[in-house]
Amino acid sequence: MTLLDLKWIRENEEEVRLMLEHRGANFPLDELLKLDAVRREKLTAVEALKARRNDGSKLVGSLKREGKDASALLDELRKLDEEIGNLDAEVSSIQGKIDELLLQIPNRVHASVPVGRDEEENVVVRTWGDPPNFDFEPKPHWDLGTTLDIMDFERGVSLAQSRFTVLKGMGARMERALIQFMLDLHTTEHGYVEIEPPFLVNTATMRGTGQLPKFAEELYKCADDDLWLIPTAEVPLTNMHAGEILSEDRLPIYYTAYTPCFRREAGSHGRDVRGMLRQHQFDKVELVKICHPEKSYDELERLTRNAEKVLQLLELPYRVICLCSGDMGFAASKTYDIEVWLPSQGKYREISSCSNCEDFQARRINTRFRPRDGGRPRFVHTLNGSGIAIGRCLIAVMENYQRADGSIAVPDALVPYMGGIREIGPLR
RNA sequence: GGUGGGGUGGCCGAGCAGGCUUAAGGCACUCGCCUGCUAAGCGAGUAGAGUGGCAGAAACCGCUCUCGAGGGUUCGAAUCCCUCCCCCACCGCCA
């Protein structure tokens, strides 16, 4: 990992302080700055000694070649070596502490983000469609799914745990149809390249997008291998060009992928326990962009619209909100959440989250581009968004398209993907 | 899992009995010269990161580090030793 961001922090101390305050984050900035000062002081000292050693070593070489005695010089160099060893150890110990701290500092907040403490202060940006009017009491998806025998919550639990669900028959079919529908839309209409990434990634990859080290308790880890189950396809997609210097002509890069996502939901005990709104395993189609730093906020608007398009084509009412500074994720500089209408709850629930991470992840994974006019490589900006969460979309379709008799109409856009089936009724 | 061969700059590829290598040479690219145009030819240049010189930025100059990763030996490591990762070939196992 590069430490360029440290230089920026050093030079923009007050901005960092303000950001931490707006996020409500607890971070020992003074300690970091002090460590940085000490590190640079020691580094300068040890580098001067190394320069002397290098000169001396060369001299030894030429003395020996001429057959002269070099023992006095060798004694001196041996002493130098010891000093260097000690100082080096100090520097790397300080460096280790700095690296640890740097991994825990959240991303900067974009100027357009509302300052606020928690989700109460998020701002509604726009609303699309109208919640349907039912002349009967709309049922929650778990009732619909159980009655139609397309969702089996009990067997999900018996096979695995709570927060696992078995989809069956037309339920499984619609899950698959939604995946196909969304991938087709994003690849053919929106210009994304379809990727099928690994569903397990190593620690370095997990660290690159910011899941580690702070959020290890949210992840499933393999006991015998350095592998973690991905909590979102954002992780493998954003890491695709880790360590690379791309030519500017390759930007922007758009990737989309369908993957299952695995989350321990460690901090969510008791929330959304019924139904399949909050699962340990869920399907998602993800959108990722890797782009030029000056274009990233335009790209964020477009990416959000790309996700919204899914709901528009499915004719599901939704709204877009802009998260306030205190409610944003660790890696994001700006985030729009898309919330879909759920009739059984009478409210909007998150179905997509679209973020611009600016260069936060790019620094961690070291993805840069070489500017067209030459010059030093610069960090790219990375963006990600759900395009969209499949399980929650299935729920939204079921609840919004339910009829009085408990059957479910298939949205027109989905009919071709359902083999022409227009409604899901009770199994005969 | 076993055996053997590898991992060097944007790419190819030498170096691997430790010190005249500040990583040879080639390709590609950039600039200049030459030239009706193009090609060829000639000349020069072309990695990244950290840090210092400046109050700061750019430019420039210096130093340190980087030859898959991390340790070790040594005054000195691309070169020797150890561990790990990855690639290739064959064998075993396997959807």
Side-chain angles (χ1 to χ4, degrees):
Chain A
M1 193 188 73
T2 67
L3 294 174
L4 248 188
D5 46 348
L6 181 54
K7 196 190 258 175
W8 186 84
I9 291 166
R10 190 192 304 153
E11 286 162 5
N12 297 275
E13 188 182 331
E14 287 320 304
E15 192 181 331
V16 174
R17 228 174 268 287
L18 196 65
M19 176 278 284
L20 290 169
E21 190 192 317
H22 286 169
R23 277 186 179 268
N26 208 8
F27 182 84
L29 183 59
D30 291 320
E31 190 187 333
L32 176 67
L33 291 170
K34 200 176 132 207
L35 282 169
D36 175 44
V38 176
R39 166 185 152 269
R40 281 184 297 146
E41 190 186 304
K42 304 244 182 214
L43 194 63
T44 311
V46 76
E47 282 183 357
L49 294 182
K50 283 181 180 173
R52 259 167 63 195
R53 182 180 65 185
N54 288 346
D55 289 343
S57 294
K58 261 179 219 161
L59 199 54
V60 171
S62 53
L63 284 178
K64 286 200 169 175
R65 232 176 295 130
E66 292 163 23
K68 292 180 184 164
D69 175 47
S71 54
L73 185 54
L74 284 178
D75 282 345
E76 189 195 325
L77 289 175
R78 256 188 284 271
K79 276 184 207 135
L80 246 184
D81 243 20
E82 206 174 309
E83 273 184 77
I84 289 171
N86 291 338
L87 259 178
D88 252 347
E90 283 184 59
V91 171
S92 68
S93 144
I94 293 167
Q95 186 72 63
K97 286 180 196 157
I98 289 174
D99 288 346
E100 211 173 297
L101 282 174
L102 279 178
L103 284 171
Q104 293 178 48
I105 192 166
N107 198 1
R108 45 199 282 199
V109 176
H110 190 251
S112 66
V113 170
V115 174
R117 283 187 54 210
D118 51 34
E119 71 263 14
E120 297 298 314
E121 297 183 68
N122 293 341
V123 174
V124 177
V125 177
R126 57 182 168 268
T127 303
W128 187 92
D130 298 310
N133 288 313
F134 294 102
D135 50 12
F136 56 94
E137 186 65 29
K139 292 181 183 137
H141 68 275
W142 54 82
D143 281 350
L144 294 164
T146 305
T147 305
L148 290 170
D149 198 23
I150 61 174
M151 287 177 170
D152 188 335
F153 297 98
E154 287 169 15
R155 289 193 173 83
V157 174
S158 69
L159 289 171
Q161 266 188 8
S162 64
R163 294 202 193 283
F164 285 90
T165 301
V166 170
L167 292 177
K168 188 177 170 187
M170 282 302 133
R173 175 70 194 249
M174 187 175 284
E175 179 93 356
R176 177 159 60 92
L178 286 167
I179 294 166
Q180 190 94 330
F181 163 66
M182 292 181 203
L183 283 174
D184 281 356
L185 174 68
H186 296 312
T187 54
T188 63
E189 303 291 321
H190 299 149
Y192 292 78
V193 174
E194 184 173 347
I195 302 287
E196 159 126 345
F199 301 164
L200 291 153
V201 300
N202 59 37
T203 298
T205 300
M206 227 27 126
R207 192 188 295 120
T209 26
Q211 275 71 25
L212 290 175
K214 275 205 86 164
F215 306 102
E217 72 281 357
E218 263 305 303
L219 302 170
Y220 288 102
K221 166 97 173 73
C222 294
D224 296 328
D225 298 282
D226 178 31
L227 289 171
W228 308 71
L229 282 160
I230 55 170
T232 160
E234 168 199 343
V235 176
L237 293 186
T238 307
N239 276 282
M240 283 276 286
H241 299 286
E244 294 182 32
I245 300 177
L246 305 162
S247 85
E248 186 175 341
D249 299 331
R250 288 191 61 184
L251 302 179
I253 294 171
Y254 294 180
Y255 287 136
T256 185
Y258 150 72
T259 69
C261 304
F262 304 91
R263 298 185 184 179
R264 295 189 62 234
E265 296 295 340
S268 315
H269 296 300
R271 282 169 60 188
D272 305 312
V273 284
R274 289 207 75 176
M276 53 175 282
L277 192 70
R278 191 177 299 275
Q279 300 279 284
H280 288 307
Q281 173 191 319
F282 62 94
D283 290 328
K284 183 155 62 71
V285 166
E286 182 75 1
L287 305 172
V288 161
K289 291 184 172 187
I290 296 171
C291 74
H292 192 285
E294 275 137 48
K295 309 260 176 70
S296 65
Y297 280 93
D298 289 340
E299 294 285 4
L300 176 63
E301 297 301 320
R302 276 203 290 278
L303 185 145
T304 307
R305 298 284 184 183
N306 293 157
E308 287 174 57
K309 188 73 180 178
V310 173
L311 297 175
Q312 290 171 10
L313 290 172
L314 293 173
E315 297 178 79
L316 292 169
Y318 69 86
R319 65 178 189 179
V320 178
I321 61 174
C322 183
L323 299 193
C324 73
S325 58
D327 198 30
M328 267 199 306
F330 180 72
S333 285
K334 182 173 186 176
T335 299
Y336 292 118
D337 272 7
I338 302 174
E339 300 181 326
V340 71
W341 179 257
L342 283 190
S344 71
Q345 300 193 1
K347 55 184 175 191
Y348 291 96
R349 295 299 305 258
E350 178 185 340
I351 196 166
S352 173
S353 189
C354 303
S355 300
N356 184 357
C357 296
E358 296 194 2
D359 63 5
F360 183 83
Q361 295 175 325
R363 284 178 193 285
R364 292 178 159 229
I365 64 189
N366 200 18
T367 299
R368 293 170 291 173
F369 71 97
R370 193 175 296 285
R372 216 171 258 127
D373 55 15
R376 306 178 140 258
R378 297 177 61 189
F379 286 107
V380 297
H381 280 192
T382 63
L383 300 89
N384 65 79
S386 345
I388 55 179
I390 306 291
R392 288 188 178 183
C393 192
L394 177 68
I395 291 171
V397 168
M398 288 169 65
E399 294 198 3
N400 282 280
Y401 280 82
Q402 65 179 296
R403 297 187 293 220
D405 64 357
S407 65
I408 294 162
V410 174
D412 289 343
L414 224 47
V415 170
Y417 292 95
M418 294 286 288
I421 291 167
R422 296 194 162 273
E423 68 160 11
I424 299 174
L427 289 181
R428 262 165 277 147

